[in-house]
Amino acid sequence: MSISYDNTEGGADFIISTGKDKIIFEVGFGNKGIKQIIQTSKKVSAKYGLLISRNKLSYFSENNIVQIPIEYFLLSC
């Protein structure tokens, strides 16, 4: 397993690689969209995307992205 990032303009925060599969991870304290995840996902052929932000819990099936409210995520800490 490895963790890297997309250093291009508008790239996602993290790319988590587990063997041949990749998960794109984007985190923000404000309202964020899925655009950065989609951009990076296309570049590295990611299997999933995960967005942690102030937005509501959602699943974007067309892009295989889960959006989790930051409050839920912080409960696990």
Side-chain angles (χ1 to χ4, degrees):
M1 184 157 102
S2 68
I3 298 176
S4 59
Y5 64 96
D6 185 351
N7 63 354
T8 60
E9 181 71 29
D13 292 334
F14 301 101
I15 302 168
I16 302 168
S17 300
T18 58
K20 62 180 176 154
D21 293 329
K22 292 180 176 48
I23 302 167
I24 307 303
F25 194 78
E26 178 69 24
V27 181
F29 284 99
N31 292 323
K32 297 199 61 105
I34 61 174
K35 183 179 175 184
Q36 288 175 280
I37 295 174
I38 293 170
Q39 178 178 318
T40 300
S41 184
K42 287 179 181 176
K43 198 162 110 177
V44 300
S45 299
K47 192 170 186 177
Y48 307 104
L50 182 63
L51 172 62
I52 309 296
S53 69
R54 292 259 183 231
N55 299 335
K56 65 180 182 160
L57 181 64
S58 301
Y59 175 62
F60 302 92
S61 59
E62 64 277 1
N63 301 108
N64 216 18
I65 297 171
V66 175
Q67 179 175 272
I68 300 174
I70 198 160
E71 294 84 5
Y72 292 13
F73 186 73
L74 293 175
L75 288 174
S76 66
C77 297

XYZ file of all heavy atoms in Angstrom:
604
model
N 0.842 -1.162 0.000
C 0.000 0.000 0.000
C 0.893 1.234 0.000
O 1.931 1.259 0.652
C -0.900 0.003 1.234
C -1.856 1.158 1.231
S -3.299 0.882 2.236
C -2.918 1.800 3.667
N 0.471 2.252 -0.737
C 1.223 3.507 -0.773
C 0.254 4.684 -0.844
O -0.888 4.546 -1.266
C 2.176 3.538 -1.960
O 1.454 3.605 -3.166
N 0.752 5.834 -0.400
C -0.030 7.066 -0.452
C 0.778 8.105 -1.204
O 1.963 8.313 -0.921
C -0.358 7.590 0.963
C -1.209 6.579 1.711
C -1.081 8.929 0.883
C -1.499 6.952 3.140
N 0.147 8.725 -2.187
C 0.789 9.800 -2.946
C -0.246 10.913 -3.120
O -1.309 10.883 -2.505
C 1.298 9.294 -4.293
O 0.233 8.768 -5.055
N 0.062 11.885 -3.952
C -0.877 12.984 -4.189
C -0.774 13.425 -5.637
O 0.177 13.101 -6.338
C -0.605 14.157 -3.244
C 0.743 14.810 -3.449
C 0.866 15.947 -4.237
C 1.883 14.291 -2.867
C 2.097 16.547 -4.446
C 3.121 14.876 -3.057
C 3.224 15.997 -3.849
O 4.435 16.583 -4.054
N -1.760 14.172 -6.071
C -1.791 14.710 -7.431
C -1.336 16.162 -7.343
O -2.044 17.016 -6.829
C -3.212 14.620 -7.989
C -3.322 15.051 -9.434
O -2.324 15.584 -9.974
O -4.400 14.865 -10.019
N -0.137 16.437 -7.834
C 0.427 17.786 -7.700
C -0.001 18.732 -8.818
O 0.434 19.873 -8.846
C 1.950 17.738 -7.594
C 2.599 17.172 -8.844
O 1.918 16.711 -9.745
N 3.914 17.187 -8.875
N -0.863 18.297 -9.717
C -1.334 19.184 -10.776
C -2.401 20.138 -10.235
O -3.033 19.864 -9.216
C -1.924 18.394 -11.964
O -3.027 17.618 -11.506
C -0.884 17.489 -12.591
N -2.602 21.249 -10.911
C -3.613 22.232 -10.529
C -4.982 21.559 -10.515
O -5.393 20.934 -11.491
C -3.617 23.387 -11.534
C -4.615 24.472 -11.224
C -4.235 25.306 -10.018
O -3.021 25.449 -9.747
O -5.144 25.801 -9.348
N -5.686 21.655 -9.396
C -7.020 21.065 -9.290
C -7.025 19.584 -9.005
O -8.060 18.937 -9.119
N -5.865 19.031 -8.636
C -5.788 17.606 -8.331
C -6.275 17.304 -6.922
O -6.348 18.180 -6.068
N -6.599 16.051 -6.667
C -7.096 15.619 -5.358
C -5.965 15.559 -4.336
O -4.782 15.523 -4.689
C -7.763 14.255 -5.491
N -6.356 15.519 -3.069
C -5.383 15.540 -1.975
C -4.518 14.286 -1.908
O -3.307 14.379 -1.729
C -6.093 15.719 -0.628
C -6.714 17.094 -0.477
O -6.226 18.042 -1.117
O -7.676 17.215 0.298
N -5.134 13.109 -2.001
C -4.385 11.869 -1.835
C -4.802 10.821 -2.861
O -5.964 10.752 -3.256
C -4.610 11.275 -0.436
C -4.200 12.187 0.678
C -5.152 12.916 1.361
C -2.873 12.317 1.033
C -4.795 13.769 2.388
C -2.503 13.170 2.063
C -3.459 13.894 2.747
N -3.846 9.977 -3.221
C -4.096 8.786 -4.043
C -3.580 7.612 -3.222
O -2.386 7.519 -2.936
C -3.346 8.855 -5.386
C -3.743 10.100 -6.164
C -3.601 7.573 -6.192
C -2.842 10.403 -7.351
N -4.485 6.752 -2.808
C -4.111 5.586 -2.022
C -4.096 4.385 -2.962
O -5.105 4.064 -3.586
C -5.109 5.364 -0.868
C -5.146 6.612 0.013
C -4.738 4.122 -0.066
C -6.282 6.640 1.000
N -2.941 3.742 -3.064
C -2.777 2.587 -3.951
C -2.673 1.314 -3.127
O -1.871 1.238 -2.195
C -1.512 2.738 -4.794
O -1.583 3.892 -5.586
N -3.515 0.354 -3.463
C -3.467 -0.967 -2.833
C -3.334 -1.980 -3.957
O -4.319 -2.351 -4.573
C -4.720 -1.245 -1.994
O -5.857 -1.148 -2.846
C -4.870 -0.262 -0.855
N -2.131 -2.378 -4.230
C -1.902 -3.244 -5.379
C -2.201 -2.481 -6.646
O -1.696 -1.392 -6.865
N -3.081 -3.018 -7.476
C -3.429 -2.331 -8.729
C -4.601 -1.362 -8.572
O -4.871 -0.575 -9.456
C -3.735 -3.356 -9.814
C -4.911 -4.229 -9.495
C -5.188 -5.231 -10.580
C -6.332 -6.098 -10.081
N -7.111 -6.690 -11.042
N -5.304 -1.417 -7.427
C -6.445 -0.539 -7.197
C -6.008 0.786 -6.587
O -5.088 0.837 -5.781
C -7.464 -1.205 -6.263
C -8.131 -2.410 -6.903
O -8.293 -2.404 -8.135
O -8.483 -3.340 -6.164
N -6.718 1.849 -6.967
C -6.426 3.183 -6.444
C -7.712 3.822 -5.929
O -8.774 3.670 -6.517
C -5.810 4.054 -7.532
C -4.431 3.588 -7.936
C -3.852 4.469 -9.012
C -2.451 4.093 -9.371
N -2.189 2.711 -9.623
N -7.583 4.530 -4.803
C -8.693 5.256 -4.202
C -8.271 6.716 -4.103
O -7.197 7.023 -3.590
C -9.015 4.717 -2.795
C -9.351 3.227 -2.868
C -10.166 5.512 -2.169
C -9.374 2.539 -1.521
N -9.115 7.610 -4.601
C -8.832 9.044 -4.542
C -9.518 9.604 -3.300
O -10.692 9.328 -3.051
C -9.354 9.772 -5.800
C -8.837 9.101 -7.068
C -8.972 11.247 -5.755
C -7.344 9.004 -7.179
N -8.779 10.389 -2.539
C -9.241 10.903 -1.251
C -9.094 12.415 -1.240
O -8.003 12.937 -1.454
C -8.370 10.261 -0.161
C -8.880 10.391 1.230
C -9.902 9.590 1.696
C -8.309 11.302 2.096
C -10.351 9.702 3.000
C -8.742 11.421 3.398
C -9.770 10.617 3.854
N -10.196 13.111 -1.024
C -10.200 14.578 -0.981
C -10.835 15.008 0.342
O -11.861 14.471 0.747
C -11.004 15.140 -2.152
C -11.120 16.634 -2.197
C -9.822 17.353 -2.507
O -8.918 16.752 -3.116
O -9.708 18.530 -2.134
N -10.198 15.961 1.030
C -10.665 16.417 2.334
C -10.759 17.934 2.335
O -9.872 18.614 1.809
C -9.698 15.989 3.458
C -10.207 16.434 4.810
C -9.471 14.492 3.433
N -11.812 18.471 2.935
C -11.950 19.916 3.054
C -12.935 20.281 4.136
O -13.886 19.547 4.391
N -12.712 21.392 4.795
C -13.610 21.840 5.855
C -14.784 22.646 5.316
O -15.756 22.865 6.018
C -12.845 22.655 6.904
C -12.030 21.788 7.805
C -10.679 21.623 7.589
C -12.626 21.118 8.853
C -9.929 20.812 8.411
C -11.886 20.299 9.685
C -10.527 20.145 9.463
N -14.719 23.093 4.083
C -15.818 23.828 3.475
C -16.692 22.914 2.644
O -16.611 21.696 2.723
N -17.550 23.510 1.834
C -18.351 22.742 0.886
C -17.487 22.456 -0.334
O -17.005 23.372 -0.979
C -19.601 23.517 0.479
C -20.577 23.662 1.617
O -20.733 22.743 2.411
N -21.219 24.801 1.714
N -17.277 21.197 -0.618
C -16.431 20.808 -1.741
C -17.247 19.996 -2.725
O -18.178 19.309 -2.354
C -15.243 19.978 -1.261
C -14.330 20.777 -0.338
C -12.973 20.175 -0.210
C -12.247 20.092 -1.481
N -11.183 20.995 -1.746
N -16.831 20.040 -3.965
C -17.451 19.223 -4.996
C -16.565 18.042 -5.334
O -15.483 17.868 -4.783
N -17.027 17.250 -6.283
C -16.294 16.041 -6.653
C -15.374 16.252 -7.856
O -14.739 15.305 -8.319
C -17.266 14.872 -6.910
C -18.232 15.190 -8.052
C -18.011 14.511 -5.635
C -19.116 14.034 -8.456
N -15.276 17.463 -8.353
C -14.501 17.753 -9.562
C -13.038 17.304 -9.447
O -12.497 16.697 -10.369
C -14.577 19.253 -9.852
C -13.870 19.676 -11.112
C -14.025 21.178 -11.336
C -13.222 21.611 -12.527
N -13.274 23.054 -12.728
N -12.382 17.590 -8.315
C -10.974 17.220 -8.146
C -10.803 15.705 -8.144
O -9.840 15.184 -8.705
C -10.419 17.807 -6.853
C -10.218 19.304 -6.920
C -9.775 19.856 -5.584
O -10.611 20.059 -4.712
N -8.498 20.084 -5.436
N -11.748 15.002 -7.532
C -11.674 13.543 -7.499
C -11.828 12.982 -8.911
O -11.094 12.094 -9.320
C -12.735 12.954 -6.560
C -12.446 13.382 -5.126
C -12.789 11.440 -6.670
C -13.507 12.976 -4.123
N -12.776 13.513 -9.662
C -12.996 13.043 -11.035
C -11.751 13.285 -11.885
O -11.319 12.402 -12.625
C -14.241 13.715 -11.654
C -15.505 13.247 -10.935
C -14.328 13.443 -13.144
C -16.760 14.014 -11.304
N -11.170 14.471 -11.773
C -9.984 14.811 -12.561
C -8.827 13.846 -12.265
O -8.223 13.299 -13.183
C -9.551 16.242 -12.261
C -8.292 16.666 -12.999
C -7.909 18.103 -12.709
O -8.768 18.967 -12.657
N -6.628 18.332 -12.524
N -8.538 13.635 -11.002
C -7.444 12.741 -10.631
C -7.779 11.296 -10.970
O -6.922 10.544 -11.431
C -7.112 12.885 -9.135
O -6.731 14.239 -8.880
C -5.980 11.963 -8.728
N -9.020 10.913 -10.776
C -9.456 9.543 -11.058
C -9.246 9.169 -12.523
O -8.795 8.068 -12.840
C -10.924 9.388 -10.682
O -11.349 8.070 -10.860
N -9.553 10.084 -13.415
C -9.346 9.837 -14.845
C -7.864 9.668 -15.155
O -7.479 8.846 -15.979
C -9.925 10.971 -15.672
C -11.430 10.978 -15.718
C -11.955 12.146 -16.524
C -13.463 12.158 -16.534
N -13.998 13.331 -17.221
N -7.040 10.443 -14.472
C -5.600 10.424 -14.722
C -4.945 9.117 -14.269
O -4.061 8.606 -14.943
C -4.980 11.604 -13.980
C -3.629 11.994 -14.445
C -3.319 13.390 -13.983
C -2.254 13.354 -12.932
N -1.849 14.664 -12.482
N -5.406 8.575 -13.146
C -4.757 7.387 -12.588
C -5.632 6.135 -12.651
O -5.264 5.095 -12.111
C -4.299 7.627 -11.131
C -3.320 8.767 -11.047
C -5.466 7.847 -10.198
N -6.783 6.225 -13.291
C -7.736 5.107 -13.412
C -8.105 4.536 -12.045
O -7.926 3.353 -11.769
C -7.152 4.003 -14.301
O -6.903 4.495 -15.585
N -8.619 5.395 -11.175
C -8.995 4.984 -9.822
C -10.291 4.194 -9.818
O -11.157 4.383 -10.668
C -9.128 6.200 -8.928
N -10.394 3.315 -8.843
C -11.582 2.487 -8.694
C -12.673 3.203 -7.895
O -13.854 3.054 -8.169
C -11.189 1.188 -7.994
C -12.224 0.119 -8.010
C -11.646 -1.190 -7.522
C -12.682 -2.293 -7.688
N -12.151 -3.591 -7.309
N -12.273 3.966 -6.880
C -13.203 4.651 -5.988
C -12.735 6.064 -5.692
O -11.558 6.378 -5.851
C -13.313 3.927 -4.630
C -13.637 2.480 -4.715
C -12.650 1.517 -4.516
C -14.929 2.048 -4.979
C -12.943 0.163 -4.589
C -15.228 0.703 -5.053
C -14.233 -0.239 -4.855
O -14.531 -1.563 -4.931
N -13.651 6.873 -5.164
C -13.320 8.202 -4.672
C -14.005 8.427 -3.337
O -15.106 7.928 -3.102
N -13.337 9.153 -2.455
C -13.887 9.458 -1.144
C -13.703 10.938 -0.871
O -12.591 11.458 -0.955
C -13.165 8.628 -0.078
C -13.630 8.779 1.359
C -15.082 8.323 1.502
C -12.748 7.956 2.280
N -14.806 11.619 -0.573
C -14.790 13.048 -0.286
C -15.270 13.280 1.136
O -16.368 12.866 1.500
C -15.702 13.793 -1.267
C -15.946 15.279 -0.997
C -14.643 16.068 -1.055
C -16.953 15.831 -1.978
N -14.420 13.907 1.943
C -14.769 14.284 3.306
C -14.927 15.804 3.309
O -13.980 16.520 2.998
C -13.666 13.890 4.315
C -13.252 12.428 4.166
C -14.091 14.225 5.730
C -14.330 11.428 4.479
N -16.134 16.305 3.642
C -16.374 17.753 3.605
C -17.595 18.103 4.449
O -18.159 17.251 5.125
C -16.594 18.219 2.166
O -17.819 17.737 1.673
N -18.027 19.338 4.373
C -19.220 19.790 5.102
C -20.514 19.380 4.395
O -21.610 19.601 4.911
C -19.204 21.309 5.250
C -18.125 21.797 6.138
C -18.688 22.123 7.502
N -17.643 22.661 8.359
C -17.399 22.199 9.561
N -18.104 21.228 10.053
N -16.438 22.727 10.278
N -20.413 18.804 3.229
C -21.603 18.401 2.469
C -22.288 17.198 3.108
O -21.711 16.505 3.940
C -21.211 18.075 1.029
C -20.618 19.270 0.318
O -20.891 20.409 0.665
N -19.781 19.025 -0.666
N -23.503 16.915 2.664
C -24.274 15.801 3.212
C -23.770 14.456 2.690
O -23.051 14.387 1.685
C -25.757 15.966 2.879
C -26.051 15.881 1.398
C -27.531 16.043 1.118
C -27.723 15.897 -0.381
N -29.050 15.578 -0.765
N -24.150 13.401 3.369
C -23.807 12.044 2.979
C -24.436 11.743 1.624
O -25.649 11.883 1.452
C -24.308 11.054 4.034
C -24.016 9.578 3.793
C -22.511 9.321 3.808
C -24.706 8.732 4.857
N -23.617 11.355 0.653
C -24.107 11.091 -0.705
C -23.251 10.037 -1.386
O -22.095 9.827 -1.011
C -24.046 12.356 -1.568
O -24.808 13.388 -1.026
N -23.839 9.414 -2.409
C -23.103 8.481 -3.253
C -23.338 8.880 -4.703
O -24.483 9.016 -5.134
C -23.563 7.041 -3.018
C -22.917 6.052 -3.945
C -21.544 5.868 -3.937
C -23.674 5.318 -4.834
C -20.942 4.960 -4.793
C -23.097 4.406 -5.691
C -21.727 4.237 -5.664
O -21.134 3.337 -6.517
N -22.270 9.090 -5.446
C -22.336 9.444 -6.862
C -21.996 8.197 -7.662
O -20.822 7.918 -7.935
C -21.358 10.583 -7.164
C -21.617 11.824 -6.352
C -20.970 12.020 -5.135
C -22.525 12.776 -6.775
C -21.216 13.151 -4.374
C -22.778 13.913 -6.022
C -22.124 14.100 -4.819
N -23.022 7.437 -8.011
C -22.814 6.132 -8.645
C -22.112 6.223 -9.994
O -21.323 5.345 -10.345
C -24.142 5.392 -8.795
O -25.049 6.137 -9.575
N -22.370 7.294 -10.748
C -21.759 7.415 -12.079
C -20.234 7.572 -12.002
O -19.529 7.248 -12.946
C -22.374 8.571 -12.876
C -22.144 9.953 -12.287
C -23.108 10.356 -11.181
O -23.989 9.567 -10.798
O -22.949 11.475 -10.667
N -19.731 8.041 -10.848
C -18.288 8.223 -10.671
C -17.720 7.352 -9.551
O -16.528 7.407 -9.275
C -17.962 9.693 -10.360
C -18.436 10.611 -11.450
O -19.398 11.344 -11.278
N -17.795 10.557 -12.601
N -18.563 6.574 -8.895
C -18.170 5.698 -7.790
C -17.483 6.479 -6.670
O -16.400 6.120 -6.206
C -17.295 4.549 -8.296
C -17.556 3.270 -7.545
O -18.588 3.127 -6.892
N -16.625 2.350 -7.622
N -18.131 7.575 -6.249
C -17.595 8.460 -5.219
C -18.568 8.524 -4.045
O -19.764 8.725 -4.234
C -17.369 9.884 -5.772
C -16.329 9.855 -6.891
C -16.943 10.841 -4.661
C -16.203 11.171 -7.638
N -18.027 8.359 -2.841
C -18.804 8.493 -1.617
C -18.425 9.822 -0.975
O -17.246 10.143 -0.841
C -18.518 7.341 -0.634
C -19.253 7.555 0.684
C -18.895 6.010 -1.247
N -19.433 10.578 -0.585
C -19.228 11.858 0.096
C -19.679 11.691 1.544
O -20.817 11.296 1.802
C -20.070 12.921 -0.605
C -19.992 14.289 -0.006
C -20.761 15.264 -0.870
O -20.218 15.829 -1.799
N -22.044 15.434 -0.588
N -18.774 11.962 2.480
C -19.064 11.772 3.900
C -18.921 13.105 4.622
O -17.896 13.783 4.466
C -18.088 10.746 4.513
C -18.231 9.403 3.806
C -18.315 10.602 6.013
C -17.222 8.375 4.230
N -19.921 13.476 5.423
C -19.796 14.716 6.197
C -18.600 14.624 7.157
O -18.372 13.584 7.775
C -21.110 14.801 6.976
C -22.063 13.957 6.207
C -21.234 12.858 5.613
N -17.876 15.705 7.287
C -16.683 15.710 8.128
C -17.026 15.366 9.583
O -16.224 14.736 10.276
C -15.922 17.040 8.011
C -14.508 16.860 8.526
C -16.643 18.178 8.703
C -13.537 17.894 8.050
N -18.211 15.716 10.021
C -18.628 15.385 11.385
C -18.665 13.875 11.597
O -18.275 13.381 12.648
C -20.013 15.982 11.701
C -20.027 17.497 11.734
C -20.195 18.137 10.356
O -20.409 17.417 9.352
O -20.095 19.370 10.269
N -19.133 13.112 10.608
C -19.152 11.659 10.698
C -17.730 11.121 10.748
O -17.414 10.221 11.519
C -19.859 11.029 9.489
C -21.341 11.268 9.371
C -22.015 12.215 10.139
C -22.073 10.557 8.448
C -23.370 12.416 9.999
C -23.438 10.755 8.301
C -24.083 11.683 9.077
O -25.424 11.892 8.910
N -16.902 11.645 9.892
C -15.516 11.194 9.801
C -14.775 11.441 11.119
O -14.032 10.596 11.582
C -14.816 11.913 8.642
C -13.444 11.418 8.365
C -13.237 10.191 7.758
C -12.343 12.179 8.705
C -11.963 9.731 7.497
C -11.066 11.730 8.443
C -10.872 10.503 7.843
N -14.996 12.611 11.729
C -14.306 12.936 12.976
C -14.790 12.110 14.168
O -14.089 12.001 15.169
C -14.431 14.427 13.274
C -13.698 15.349 12.307
C -14.002 16.815 12.635
C -12.205 15.094 12.330
N -15.966 11.516 14.072
C -16.455 10.634 15.140
C -15.550 9.428 15.328
O -15.500 8.849 16.405
C -17.879 10.178 14.851
C -18.974 11.223 14.996
C -20.309 10.640 14.534
C -19.083 11.695 16.433
N -14.842 9.048 14.280
C -13.975 7.864 14.362
C -12.637 8.167 15.013
O -11.847 7.285 15.272
C -13.753 7.290 12.961
O -13.012 8.204 12.180
N -12.362 9.436 15.286
C -11.067 9.816 15.886
C -11.075 9.686 17.377
O -11.992 9.813 18.046
C -10.711 11.261 15.520
S -10.498 11.461 13.766
